[in-house]
Amino acid sequence: MKASHVRKLIKPIDSAYSEMFSGRVFRVGTGAVSVRNHSGEAEQTVIGVHGFLENHCYFTQAYEAPTTELILLTCSNYHIPVNGVTPEAPDWEVPIKHLDGTIEYDACILNQALANLPSTDNIRVHGHSRGGAVILEAINQWPELYENVELVLEAPVLPQGRLSALVTAVLEPVSHGMWPWLIRLINSAPSSAYGQTFFGKMNPRKKQLLGKLFSATKDHLTIVRNIENLMAWMERTDTSVYSKVRYGTFLIPAVDRILDRQAMLASARQSPTTMRIVETEAPSHFITLDSKEWVPGFESLPATAQG
């Protein structure tokens, strides 16, 4: 990448979205992990891994039960979307050797969180979109950690998957030098100009969370690195990773204008384990935001089933 392009791309992006948060926030490398306070005794732990240009608030309304311990990742070089909490340095943090802004780096953040934070044995890791790839990469890195963990892979980036034809058509003509210009253009346009096309039918929560997408990262370089790494990861990762997965659900939307739905399904069907494929009626890539009804209940958690 040309030095002049890098200079343009590392110009900081201001944080544009946050919500009140009650809990603790731990910095891990250039990312973070937030642990929400829960009022009841924790019966299950959910770790949420957000998608490209999203933030951890994607999961907060889907897991509101007072007995759910909610642990939320902030991927590397993304803004932490919380108000009123000072991030702390945990004593369990281990330096990460991968390049930040990559699926491999964020998988290391996830593994450190999973190894150190859950207080229950009923653990679900829920990843949306790019978050699905982060989870599968994390399993590849440390399979033993996931032996009794349930997965929810929602509209996930998967091995041998593809971007949708619509997204590919938008990205193809974009060179590195054009990114800052393109993002400024998108940010100055009302989200209604492109929202319906990519995001499907809108509702208040979708508007709230998807309206500030291009302010999620701390710089433009992270956006470019995320996209290039994501495409390379899908191409080079084969479906053998599924043999290390024990339990869970692939949630597939009825319509997806971000990822190629057929490639996603074809990849999911290579899974030889107890992962079930649920083809939802969700009208967009953002299944949980379309309706919480698609989020599986906890009755299928492995530790509960064994008890």
Side-chain angles (χ1 to χ4, degrees):
M1 202 186 296
K2 285 185 191 166
S4 60
H5 290 166
V6 171
R7 273 199 304 278
K8 279 186 207 151
L9 291 169
I10 57 177
K11 198 173 160 202
I13 297 173
D14 293 332
S15 173
Y17 188 84
S18 62
E19 292 183 2
M20 283 307 293
F21 180 81
S22 169
R24 298 175 77 184
V25 178
F26 300 101
R27 282 200 185 283
V28 181
T30 58
V33 183
S34 305
V35 184
R36 188 180 69 186
N37 290 337
H38 46 93
S39 54
E41 188 176 338
E43 291 173 10
Q44 60 269 326
T45 301
V46 175
I47 303 181
V49 188
H50 67 79
F52 173 56
L53 298 184
E54 296 170 5
N55 64 54
H56 79 207
C57 301
Y58 188 88
F59 301 101
T60 50
Q61 291 192 1
Y63 294 107
E64 292 183 302
T67 52
T68 297
E69 173 180 58
L70 187 61
I71 298 171
L72 298 160
L73 246 70
T74 291
C75 290
S76 48
N77 293 328
Y78 275 65
H79 292 293
I80 308 169
V82 302
N83 295 329
V85 182
T86 306
E88 50 192 291
D91 54 10
W92 42 261
E93 183 191 0
V94 178
I96 296 171
K97 299 182 181 72
H98 297 282
L99 183 67
D100 56 3
T102 62
I103 287 165
E104 292 81 358
Y105 189 103
D106 295 334
C108 292
I109 300 176
L110 171 59
N111 282 341
Q112 291 188 44
L114 178 57
N116 293 286
L117 290 171
S119 67
T120 80
D121 293 328
N122 290 343
I123 301 170
R124 164 182 292 175
V125 184
H126 181 162
H128 176 243
S129 197
R130 179 181 180 272
V134 170
I135 292 168
L136 292 172
E137 179 61 33
I139 293 171
N140 241 344
Q141 290 180 11
W142 194 348
E144 308 78 46
L145 200 54
Y146 290 82
E147 269 170 16
N148 289 309
V149 170
E150 182 215 20
L151 304 187
V152 175
L153 302 179
E154 175 191 340
V157 167
L158 295 176
Q160 306 303 302
R162 287 191 302 271
L163 300 174
S164 75
L166 195 61
V167 171
T168 305
V170 169
L171 291 181
E172 235 156 22
V174 179
S175 67
H176 288 126
M178 287 169 68
W179 269 105
W181 174 82
L182 179 68
I183 289 161
R184 275 198 299 275
L185 182 71
I186 292 167
N187 279 342
S188 64
S191 59
S192 57
Y194 56 85
Q196 200 85 359
T197 307
F198 290 100
F199 307 154
K201 192 168 186 290
M202 297 303 273
N203 59 42
R205 187 64 173 159
K206 277 173 97 168
K207 274 187 187 153
Q208 207 176 11
L209 289 182
L210 303 180
K212 303 287 184 194
L213 280 182
F214 285 93
S215 309
T217 61
K218 292 180 178 177
D219 55 41
H220 296 107
L221 184 61
T222 303
I223 297 176
V224 177
R225 195 175 280 164
N226 272 190
I227 289 174
E228 291 183 341
N229 168 255
L230 185 148
M231 290 164 77
W233 184 91
M234 286 193 287
E235 201 172 310
R236 71 168 170 262
T237 307
D238 65 61
T239 55
S240 62
V241 64
Y242 295 140
S243 64
K244 299 170 186 169
V245 175
R246 295 290 170 265
Y247 315 86
T249 307
F250 291 101
L251 289 179
I252 311 291
V255 176
D256 198 322
R257 297 211 171 103
I258 307 291
L259 296 174
D260 184 309
R261 183 180 180 278
Q262 292 315 120
M264 191 192 299
L265 264 175
S267 179
R269 285 176 182 143
Q270 300 302 306
S271 173
T273 58
T274 50
M275 285 288 286
R276 60 188 180 141
I277 298 172
V278 175
E279 294 189 52
T280 70
E281 291 166 28
S284 81
H285 182 66
F286 306 91
I287 299 173
T288 292
L289 300 186
D290 284 325
S291 175
K292 289 184 277 191
E293 71 176 299
W294 300 113
V295 179
F298 290 112
E299 60 280 357
S300 59
L301 278 176
T304 311
Q306 288 157 8

